[in-house]
C-alpha cells in the first residue's frame, strides 16, 4: 500500500506515530458502540411514546446491526480506494443527519430509518482508524501499533460500559429523543477533528476508481441481508431467505472470480486461511459473548428475579474486567497466547452458567460476569491485532470492515439462540440449554485457535512495508 500519510507533507511527532491522528480515530471508533449500547435504555420509553410493542421497537436494534454489518466492509473498501478523510467526513455528516432525524421523528418508522442512516454513518470510523495505523507504520518504518490498537479496543469497551448510564441520564434530562440528539455534537466533533487532522489526498486516477465493483457490492449486500434477516427470525416459513442467501453467495463468487478489480478478492481471501480463521474466531467469540449479554441478563431479571438496575450492576464487572485485561495485556505482541487464555476463560464461564442454580447467590453471579470479562478483553483485542497483520496492505479498510461484519453475525446468532432456548421464559433450565450451546461454540473457538499454527508468528516479527 502506498501510504497517503507518507505524502501528506506535514510534520509528525518525531519519527513516531502522529498523535494528532488519535483524536479523529478515537472519536470515529466510538460512534458505533455508543449507539449500539445507548439504545438499550431507550426501547421502553420509545415503545410507550408510539404505542409500539417490543417486537416493533426491536427493529431499532436490528436496523443498526444490519446497516453496520453490510456497510463496514463496503465503506472500508472505499477507504482503501479513496483514503480515509472523505469517507470519515461523509460518515460524520450522515451521523449528524441521523441525530436530527431521530430527535424530531414523528413516528417509529422514521426512527428505524434514522438508525439505518446512523448505521451507515458510523461505518467509516473503525476502518479509517485501521487504515491510518497501517499508513503510519509505513511512513515511520516502525511496526509498533500495539498501543494504538489497544487504545481503540479500550475506548470501544469503555463506551459500551457508559452507554446505558449515559442514556439514562439523557432520558432523565431531555427524554428519549436526547439519545438520538447526542449524535449531533458527536458528529460536529468528528467533522472538526477530521478537517483539522486527517490527511488530504488527491482524487485517485480513473484506473483506481474503476476498482469500485458495484455489482459485487450489490451481491454482497443481498447475501448478508437475506442471511441476517433469517438469523433475526429463523423459522421454517422463512425458508426462502437462506436459499436466496446461497444464490447470492454463489453469484458473488462467480462475479468476483471473473472481474479484474473485485470488491472481495475471492482468490486472495480464499488463500489466506489465517485471515479466514480470524473471522471465524470473531464470529464464535461474539456468539458466546452476546449469548451471555442477552441470555444471562434476561435470566437475571425473569428467572433470578432481579430488577433491571440490579441486573445492570451484576453485569458491570463484565465490562470492567474486559477493559482492565485489554489495558494490561495490550502491549504484548503475542496473539496466540491471549486467544488460548481467552478461549479457556470462555469455557470456564460457560461451565459456570451450565451449573448455575436457580437461586444462585450474588457472589456467584458476579463471578460469572468477571470470568466472562476475561475473554471479552483478550479475544477482541487479539483478533483485531491479527486482522491488522494478516490482511493485505491495500485492503486493510475492507478487511477491518469484515471483522465488524462477522462480529455482528455472531451477535445475531446469539439473539436467535436466546430466542430459541429462552422462548418459554428465562428459567434455569433454559439458561442451562443456552450454556450448552455457548460451550459448544467456545470449544470450537479453542479448537480453531489451537489448529492455527500461523498464530505462533503473528505479531512477533516486524511487518515489511
Amino acid at each position: 500500500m502506498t501510504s497517503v500519510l507518507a505524502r501528506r507533507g506535514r510534520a509528525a511527532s518525531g519519527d513516531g506515530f502522529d498523535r494528532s491522528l488519535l483524536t479523529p480515530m478515537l472519536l470515529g471508533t466510538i460512534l458505533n458502540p455508543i449507539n449500539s449500547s445507548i439504545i438499550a435504555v431507550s426501547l421502553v420509553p420509545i415503545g410507550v411514546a408510539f404505542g409500539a410493542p417490543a417486537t416493533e421497537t426491536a427493529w431499532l436494534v436490528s436496523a443498526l446491526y444490519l446497516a453496520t454489518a453490510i456497510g463496514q466492509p463496503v465503506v472500508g473498501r472505499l477507504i482503501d480506494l479513496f483514503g480515509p478523510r472523505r469517507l470519515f467526513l461523509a460518515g460524520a455528516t450522515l451521523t449528524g443527519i441521523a441525530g436530527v432525524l431521530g430527535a424530531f421523528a414523528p413516528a417509529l418508522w422514521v426512527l428505524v430509518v434514522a438508525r439505518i442512516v446512523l448505521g451507515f454513518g458510523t461505518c467509516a470510523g473503525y476502518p479509517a482508524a485501521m487504515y491510518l495505523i497501517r499508513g503510519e507504520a509505513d511512513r515511520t518504518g516502525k511496526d509498533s501499533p500495539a498501543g494504538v490498537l489497544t487504545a481503540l479496543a479500550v475506548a470501544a469497551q469503555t463506551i459500551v460500559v457508559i452507554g446505558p448510564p449515559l442514556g439514562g441520564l439523557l432520558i432523565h434530562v431531555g427524554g428519549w429523543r436526547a439519545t438520538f440528539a447526542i449524535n449531533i455534537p458527536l458528529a460536529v466533533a468528528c467533522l472538526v477533528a477530521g478537517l483539522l487532522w486527517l490527511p488530504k489526498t488527491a482524487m485517485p486516477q480513473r484506473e483506481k476508481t474503476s476498482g469500485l465493483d458495484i455489482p459485487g457490492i450489490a451481491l454482497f449486500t443481498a447475501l448478508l441481508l437475506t442471511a441476517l434477516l433469517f438469523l433475526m427470525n429463523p423459522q421454517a416459513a422463512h425458508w426462502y431467505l437462506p436459499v436466496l442467501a446461497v444464490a447470492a453467495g454463489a453469484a458473488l463468487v462467480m462475479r468476483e472470480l471473473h472481474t479484474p478489480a473485485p470488491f472481495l478478492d475471492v482468490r486472495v481471501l480464499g488463500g489466506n486461511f489465517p485471515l479466514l480463521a480470524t473471522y471465524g474466531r470473531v464470529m464464535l467469540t461474539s456468539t458466546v459473548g452476546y449469548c451471555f449479554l442477552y441470555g444471562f441478563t434476561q435470566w437475571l431479571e425473569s428467572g433470578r428475579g432481579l430488577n433491571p438496575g440490579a441486573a445492570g450492576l451484576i453485569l458491570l464487572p463484565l465490562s470492567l474486567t474486559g477493559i482492565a485485561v485489554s489495558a494490561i495485556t495490550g502491549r504484548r505482541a503475542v496473539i496466540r497466547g491471549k486467544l488460548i487464555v481467552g478461549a479457556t476463560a470462555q469455557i470456564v464461564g460457560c461451565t459456570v452458567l451450565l451449573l448455575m442454580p436457580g437461586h444462585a447467590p450474588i457472589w456467584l453471579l458476579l463471578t460469572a460476569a468477571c470470568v466472562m470479562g476475561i475473554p471479552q478483553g483478550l479475544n477482541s483485542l487479539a483478533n483485531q491485532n491479527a486482522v491488522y497483520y494478516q490482511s493485505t496492505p491495500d485492503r486493510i479498510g475492507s478487511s477491518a470492515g469484515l471483522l465488524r461484519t462477522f462480529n455482528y453475525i455472531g451477535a445475531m446468532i446469539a439473539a436467535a439462540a436466546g430466542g430459541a432456548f429462552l422462548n418459554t421464559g428465562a428459567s434455569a433450565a433454559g439458561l442451562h440449554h443456552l450454556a450448552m450451546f455457548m460451550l459448544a461454540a467456545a470449544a470450537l473457538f479453542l479448537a480453531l485457535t489451537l489448529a492455527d499454527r500461523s498464530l505462533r508468528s503473528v505479531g512477533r516479527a516486524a511487518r515489511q512495508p
Side-chain angles (χ1 to χ4, degrees):
M1 177 179 65
T2 302
S3 173
V4 298
L5 301 176
R7 304 193 303 269
R8 69 177 180 255
R10 61 187 180 88
S13 55
D15 292 327
F17 189 91
D18 184 355
R19 297 190 177 277
S20 68
L21 297 174
L22 287 174
T23 299
M25 286 169 56
L26 293 175
L27 280 173
T29 300
I30 68 172
L31 286 179
N32 193 270
I34 196 171
N35 281 287
S36 296
S37 59
I38 206 171
I39 193 67
V41 295
S42 307
L43 294 177
V44 172
I46 289 173
V48 171
F50 293 111
T55 53
E56 294 183 11
T57 58
W59 276 101
L60 296 171
V61 177
S62 302
L64 184 75
Y65 280 1
L66 284 170
T68 304
I70 293 169
Q72 286 268 6
V74 174
V75 174
R77 182 57 183 152
L78 293 175
I79 289 172
D80 290 332
L81 293 172
F82 297 99
R85 180 184 172 93
R86 295 182 182 89
L87 275 301
F88 185 93
L89 296 177
T93 302
L94 283 178
T95 300
I97 291 173
V100 174
L101 193 61
F104 296 98
L108 181 63
W109 70 267
V110 180
L111 284 183
V112 174
V113 171
R115 292 283 289 181
I116 293 173
V117 175
L118 196 57
F120 286 117
T122 58
C123 279
Y126 183 69
M130 294 289 278
Y131 183 100
L132 290 165
I133 294 171
R134 176 66 64 85
E136 279 294 275
D138 288 346
R139 181 186 66 79
T140 63
K142 297 179 179 179
D143 189 34
S144 55
V148 183
L149 289 169
T150 301
L152 295 182
V154 171
Q157 292 177 28
T158 302
I159 288 298
V160 170
V161 175
I162 69 174
L166 175 61
L169 177 63
L170 290 172
I171 292 172
H172 177 73
V173 173
W176 62 263
R177 293 183 185 275
T179 62
F180 284 84
I182 189 64
N183 287 290
I184 300 173
L186 287 174
V188 171
C190 286
L191 285 171
V192 172
L195 289 170
L196 285 178
W197 293 304
L198 290 184
K200 295 181 180 180
T201 55
M203 282 298 292
Q205 299 176 349
R206 183 178 298 274
E207 56 267 24
K208 189 174 182 180
T209 59
S210 65
L212 189 57
D213 177 18
I214 299 297
I217 291 174
L219 288 169
F220 174 80
T221 301
L223 165 62
L224 273 187
L225 186 62
T226 50
L228 294 179
L229 284 175
F230 180 75
L231 284 176
M232 287 164 54
N233 191 14
Q235 296 182 7
H238 299 155
W239 61 268
Y240 59 91
L241 288 173
V243 172
L244 291 175
V246 171
L252 175 63
V253 171
M254 293 299 297
R255 160 74 191 181
E256 304 304 81
L257 286 174
H258 296 90
T259 187
F263 164 64
L264 288 178
D265 197 330
V266 177
R267 289 189 178 88
V268 173
L269 192 62
N272 192 344
F273 172 79
L275 183 59
L276 292 176
T278 296
Y279 289 149
R281 288 194 302 270
V282 168
M283 183 180 69
L284 289 169
T285 194
S286 177
T287 298
V288 175
Y290 278 102
C291 274
F292 182 82
L293 184 63
Y294 296 152
F296 186 61
T297 304
Q298 186 176 344
W299 175 77
L300 286 176
E301 296 182 22
S302 300
R304 180 60 175 75
L306 300 180
N307 60 54
L313 290 176
I314 292 294
L315 289 176
L316 189 58
L318 171 73
S319 296
L320 294 180
T321 303
I323 292 170
V325 169
S326 294
I328 293 170
T329 65
R331 291 187 177 274
R332 294 182 61 85
V334 179
I335 291 176
R336 186 172 184 267
K338 295 177 184 177
L339 290 173
I340 291 176
V341 174
T344 304
Q346 276 192 336
I347 291 175
V348 172
C350 294
T351 303
V352 171
L353 289 191
L354 185 60
L355 302 176
M356 185 76 67
H359 295 283
I362 295 297
W363 68 265
L364 185 57
L365 304 180
L366 292 172
T367 299
C370 287
V371 172
M372 291 302 292
I374 296 173
Q376 177 173 302
L378 289 176
N379 294 345
S380 59
L381 181 59
N383 285 321
Q384 172 186 262
N385 291 7
V387 167
Y388 173 85
Y389 288 105
Q390 293 166 340
S391 62
T392 55
D394 61 340
R395 287 181 176 265
I396 181 63
S398 54
S399 297
L402 279 172
L403 174 73
R404 290 294 182 90
T405 295
F406 278 91
N407 179 71
Y408 282 117
I409 291 175
M412 292 186 180
I413 292 174
F421 294 114
L422 303 175
N423 60 344
T424 58
S427 62
L431 178 67
H432 295 161
H433 292 150
L434 181 64
M436 286 189 283
F437 173 80
M438 294 167 60
L439 192 58
L444 184 57
F445 178 94
L446 178 60
L448 188 58
T449 300
L450 294 175
D452 189 356
R453 296 179 179 273
S454 68
L455 290 173
R456 298 178 183 274
S457 59
V458 173
R460 288 183 179 272
R463 181 183 53 82
Q464 296 298 322

